[in-house]
Amino acid sequence: MSVQATPTLSLKGIGASPGVAVGRAFLLDRKRLRTPKLRLAENEVEKELMRLKTALELSEVQLTELKNKVAQDGHDHELIIEAHRLMLHDPMLVDEVRKLIERDRINAEWAVRRVSRKIKHLFDNIPDEYFRERRQDVDYVADRIVRNLMGQVVDDEVEVPEGAIVVAHDLTPGDTAMLVKSGRVAGFVTDVGGQTSHTAIVARARETPAVVGAGRASEQISPGDLVAIDGTRGTVLVNPTDEQLNLFRETMRRHLASEQVGLKTRDLPAVSTDGYRIRLNGNMEFAEEIPSLLAHGAEGIGLYRTEFLFLGRDSPPTEEEHYQAYRRVLEEMRGAPVTIRTLDIGGDKVPGARRIEREANPALGLRGIRFVLHNRELFRVQLRALLRASVHGNLRVMFPLISGSSELREARSELENCRSELGRAGVPIGGRFPVGIMVETPSAAVIADRLALEADFFSVGTNDLLQYALAIDRQNRDVAYLYRPLHLSVLRMLQNVVSAARASGIPVAMCGEMAGDPVYTLVLLALGFDELSMTAGQIPVVKGIIRRASRAEATQILEQAMSYSTAEEIERFVRNEMDRRFGADGVL
Ligand code: PEP
Ligand code: MG
C-alpha cells in the first residue's frame, strides 16, 4: 500500500444519480453572501428604490441571456430559468421588498432577504419533498438580486476541467444545466439537496453520478482533491487509498459492464425462461428524461409525475402549457403507452395559487385526488389538456391516492364532463383512453376487487402504500428502518391487488421504488405483475434478472418467504436467494 499524502475522508450523502465516478474536485463557490444590514435616512429611500430597480433589471438581463444559452440545448432547464425570471416580476417578492424599504427604511439587500425568508416559510410545512425544495428557487432569485445590488459578478458560465467532480454547497438549475451540457463533468457532490432537488433530477436525466445532501462536503473538500463518488450508495471518498480506489474502479467497471450488457438487451423483451412477459416502463418527471429512458429500453412511460409542471412558479400552468407538455411526451414516445398521473399535491402545495393552510398531518390531509376534487378548476384545466393531448399518442390517465370507489367515480365523472364540454365546443379530443388508479392506500388495496370493476388498470405506488400500511412517515429518518417492502402485510396486499386485477381482467403495474429495486424482482415476477415502472438506469438490471429466472422458481421463493413472520426474516431469505443467483454480477 502506498503512503498517502493527504488523509482519506469518507462522507455520506444521498445517492441522487446512480453510477460511480472518480476525478479531481472542482469547487464551485456559490456560498451564501453576508447581507449588509443598514438603516436608511428618509432622504435615502428614493435612491435605494432606484438601486433595487437597477438590480432587478440586471438580473432580468442575466436570466434572459442564460435562458437563451440553455435553450439552444433544447431542454427543459429553460423553463426553470424562465420561472426564475418571472419571479423578478412577482408582486409577492418585489412589492414586498419595496414596501419594506419605504416603511421600515432598511437597505434593499436586507429587504430582499427578509421577504425571501418569509416566502420560504410558506413552503416549510409542505409535505411533499420536491415542492418543499422549491424554497431553493426563492433562494436562487434572492441571491442573484443581492449579488447584483452589491455589485458582485454573477458568473453564470464556468469552465470546468475535463472529467472533474464538481463540488458545491448547492447548484442552481442554471449551473447544473450548463455543466451537464458541456459534457465534461464526471459527477456532482453537493452539501444540500435531496432525491428531488434540481441537481438530482438533471443529473439523473443525463446519467451523471451525483451525491447530494453530503453535509459540509464543500468545506471539507479542497480544489484538486481526488474524489471518488458512488451515486448509487451516496458515498464520497476524498483522497482515497490505492486500495479503496481500486475497489471503486472495480465497482465502476462492473457498473459499466452491466450497463453495456443492459444496453445490448435494450430491444429484447423482459421475459422469464418459462415465458412470463413483464413490460418494463419508465418513471419520469421531465420530458428531457425520455431519450435516456428509451436508450435503456423503456417500453412506455409508467408514471409521469405532472406535479413537476408546477415547479418553480407561483401560479399553476395554463391549459395550453399542460397540453404542450403532454403532447411533447406523447409524440416523443411514438405510440408507446404514456401513463400520465394527474396532479398529486397537497392542500398547501400550490405555491401562491391557493390559500396556505397548515394541516396537522399533511400526509393524511387534502392531497392527491382529494386536493383536485376540492379544487375543481385546477383539475379541469389538467383534464381538458389531457383530453386534447390524447390525439397525439397512446395516452393512459391515472388518478393518485384513490382511497375508495366514490373518489374514482367523481374523478371519472369530471373527466367525462370535460370530454362532453370539449366535444360540444368542437375541440378535437380523440377516442377513449384507459383511466386507471394508483393503488397506494391500504383501503384501495383491500377493496381492490371493487375498484377493479371501475378502473381500467392499477398501478401500485409502494412509496405511499408502505407509508400508510406500516405507519411510517416517508420523510422521517427516525422511522426509515421500518420501511420494509417485504413486510408480510405488504406482500399480502400486493397479492390481493394482483388477484383482483386478474379476476376483472385489467392490467396491474407497479411504479413505486420497489419496482426498480433488483432485490425484489423475483418476488414481483412471482406475484404476477404485468408491468413495472422505474428510472432509466434500473431497467437493464431488472430485465437481466427476469430474463435469467423462471417464474416457477420465483413462485417457490415467494411461497417460502411468506412462511416467515418477520419482515427481517423475509428480507434476509429473499436477499440470500437473490445473492446466490445474481450476487456475482454486482447488481444487487
Ligand atoms: C408512490 O407512492 O409509490 C408513487 C409512485 O408516487 P409518489 O412517489 O410520486 O408519491
Ligand atoms: Mg404516491
Side-chain angles (χ1 to χ4, degrees):
M1 216 170 72
S2 73
V3 179
Q4 293 292 308
T6 337
T8 299
L9 180 69
S10 160
L11 306 171
K12 183 85 184 102
I14 299 165
S17 178
V20 173
V22 177
R24 294 279 165 197
F26 177 86
L27 264 86
L28 201 61
D29 191 10
R30 291 267 195 266
K31 289 249 179 56
R32 266 299 182 73
L33 291 175
R34 281 195 89 77
T35 311
K37 294 181 177 164
L38 304 167
R39 297 268 171 203
L40 305 174
E42 199 176 338
N43 61 1
E44 288 172 323
V45 169
E46 241 354 87
K47 202 177 85 210
E48 201 61 10
L49 290 172
M50 274 311 292
R51 283 184 65 228
L52 175 69
K53 185 163 176 283
T54 313
L56 288 171
E57 283 166 2
L58 193 55
S59 305
E60 164 107 29
V61 171
Q62 291 162 349
L63 285 172
T64 308
E65 269 175 21
L66 181 61
K67 193 182 104 182
N68 292 341
K69 271 191 211 134
V70 169
Q72 291 160 12
D73 193 28
H75 288 288
D76 283 355
H77 312 115
E78 188 192 344
L79 292 180
I80 301 175
I81 294 161
E82 173 63 8
H84 289 181
R85 195 189 65 79
L86 289 175
M87 268 195 221
L88 297 172
H89 300 274
D90 190 329
M92 198 163 160
L93 177 73
V94 185
D95 291 359
E96 284 295 309
V97 172
R98 282 201 194 100
K99 215 187 289 168
L100 280 188
I101 297 174
E102 284 167 347
R103 194 194 62 197
D104 292 6
R105 292 216 213 123
I106 58 173
N107 64 327
E109 290 90 334
W110 190 3
V112 170
R113 286 285 182 230
R114 268 176 53 181
V115 173
S116 71
R117 210 174 314 128
K118 198 167 132 198
I119 300 176
K120 280 197 302 177
H121 266 320
L122 300 179
F123 286 77
D124 277 347
N125 207 32
I126 295 180
D128 190 287
E129 192 191 343
Y130 45 73
F131 273 93
R132 218 173 33 244
E133 284 187 10
R134 298 295 71 83
R135 285 178 301 201
Q136 290 173 347
D137 297 279
V138 181
D139 267 337
Y140 296 145
V141 174
D143 239 56
R144 181 175 293 271
I145 304 171
V146 170
R147 276 179 208 272
N148 282 327
L149 279 165
M150 294 170 69
Q152 286 220 357
V153 183
V154 181
D155 188 6
D156 284 317
E157 213 150 1
V158 265
E159 271 297 306
V160 183
E162 188 85 36
I165 305 278
V166 172
V167 182
H169 176 67
D170 193 9
L171 291 167
T172 67
D175 285 337
T176 324
M178 282 292 175
L179 291 170
V180 176
K181 187 183 155 195
S182 67
R184 303 150 163 256
V185 175
F188 295 106
V189 180
T190 60
D191 297 349
V192 297
Q195 276 284 357
T196 48
S197 56
H198 292 306
T199 311
I201 293 164
V202 178
R204 265 201 305 274
R206 301 306 185 82
E207 297 165 49
T208 306
V211 176
V212 300
R216 294 189 300 118
S218 69
E219 288 168 29
Q220 292 170 302
I221 301 175
S222 307
D225 275 348
L226 189 64
V227 180
I229 69 170
D230 184 333
T232 310
R233 297 194 166 81
T235 48
V236 179
L237 284 179
V238 189
N239 297 315
T241 61
D242 288 348
E243 215 173 324
Q244 288 170 323
L245 204 54
N246 285 340
L247 266 176
F248 249 84
R249 293 217 159 102
E250 175 56 23
T251 315
M252 184 150 66
R253 199 192 54 71
R254 281 216 305 243
H255 182 85
L256 286 177
S258 84
E259 273 271 296
Q260 287 309 315
V261 172
L263 293 179
K264 275 199 208 114
T265 62
R266 190 190 63 184
D267 301 320
L268 297 175
V271 56
S272 69
T273 52
D274 48 358
Y276 191 86
R277 170 87 164 93
I278 299 189
R279 250 191 112 85
L280 298 185
N281 289 332
N283 288 354
M284 59 166 282
E285 286 86 24
F286 285 127
E288 66 182 9
E289 290 169 272
I290 294 175
S292 161
L293 285 169
L294 290 174
H296 285 81
E299 297 173 76
I301 301 296
L303 168 65
Y304 174 9
R305 292 180 163 104
T306 57
E307 303 80 77
F308 272 72
L309 293 172
F310 288 67
L311 178 144
R313 50 189 297 159
D314 52 22
S315 60
T318 60
E319 182 182 317
E320 189 59 23
E321 286 172 309
H322 276 288
Y323 165 74
Q324 291 298 349
Y326 306 149
R327 176 182 177 161
R328 176 170 171 196
V329 176
L330 285 161
E331 286 181 345
E332 286 190 27
M333 289 304 293
R334 287 178 243 113
V338 173
T339 317
I340 303 187
R341 179 174 75 183
T342 59
L343 190 59
D344 182 14
I345 54 170
D348 48 2
K349 284 197 257 174
V350 188
R354 302 277 140 183
R355 195 156 55 93
I356 306 288
E357 280 173 21
R358 285 179 182 254
E359 294 180 311
N361 294 300
L364 304 179
L366 205 57
R367 60 162 292 203
I369 197 68
R370 308 163 184 185
F371 178 81
V372 291
L373 290 176
H374 280 78
N375 292 278
R376 289 293 170 122
E377 200 38 40
L378 207 64
F379 193 30
R380 290 165 51 78
V381 166
Q382 183 170 36
L383 294 176
R384 283 196 298 264
L386 286 165
L387 285 157
R388 285 172 54 203
S390 69
V391 297
H392 300 291
N394 186 354
L395 175 67
R396 306 195 283 200
V397 168
M398 161 163 96
F399 300 127
L401 212 80
I402 293 287
S403 63
S405 302
S406 49
E407 280 168 343
L408 171 57
R409 281 180 203 168
E410 270 193 73
R412 279 198 99 127
S413 105
E414 196 63 85
L415 177 66
E416 289 318 309
N417 291 343
C418 293
R419 189 193 300 279
S420 321
E421 282 164 23
L422 290 175
R424 278 197 300 275
V427 178
I429 49 171
R432 298 210 165 253
F433 44 78
V435 177
I437 63 165
M438 298 264 313
V439 177
E440 49 184 351
T441 63
S443 61
V446 171
I447 59 158
D449 56 334
R450 301 299 171 85
L451 288 164
L453 302 174
E454 303 186 39
D456 299 328
F457 64 90
F458 284 158
S459 186
V460 181
T462 46
N463 308 342
D464 278 313
L465 185 61
L466 266 90
Q467 149 163 277
Y468 297 123
L470 305 178
I472 41 165
D473 182 347
R474 267 169 89 159
Q475 317 280 3
N476 186 338
R477 277 170 186 258
D478 296 339
V479 288
Y481 74 98
L482 291 171
Y483 173 87
R484 299 277 186 177
L486 296 181
H487 193 288
L488 190 56
S489 65
V490 177
L491 293 175
R492 286 189 179 170
M493 277 193 235
L494 295 178
Q495 267 183 332
N496 192 50
V497 174
V498 174
S499 74
R502 282 282 159 276
S504 282
I506 63 168
V508 57
M510 177 181 281
C511 62
E513 290 306 306
M514 184 182 185
D517 188 332
V519 171
Y520 308 126
T521 304
L522 289 194
V523 168
L524 301 179
L525 172 68
L527 283 167
F529 279 89
D530 299 303
E531 299 182 8
L532 301 175
S533 193
M534 59 202 75
T535 57
Q538 293 168 325
I539 296 173
V541 181
V542 169
K543 189 190 282 184
I545 292 177
I546 295 172
R547 287 181 61 83
R548 283 156 52 201
S550 79
R551 180 143 188 255
E553 188 189 17
T555 305
Q556 279 173 5
I557 293 176
L558 178 64
E559 268 168 22
Q560 182 159 353
M562 289 184 76
S563 71
Y564 298 109
S565 295
T566 72
E568 291 76 11
E569 287 165 335
I570 301 180
E571 177 106 19
R572 198 176 318 121
F573 169 73
V574 170
R575 274 188 192 276
N576 278 342
E577 292 298 310
M578 295 302 285
D579 227 30
R580 218 151 46 78
R581 288 169 176 78
F582 309 102
D585 306 349
V587 294
L588 297 171

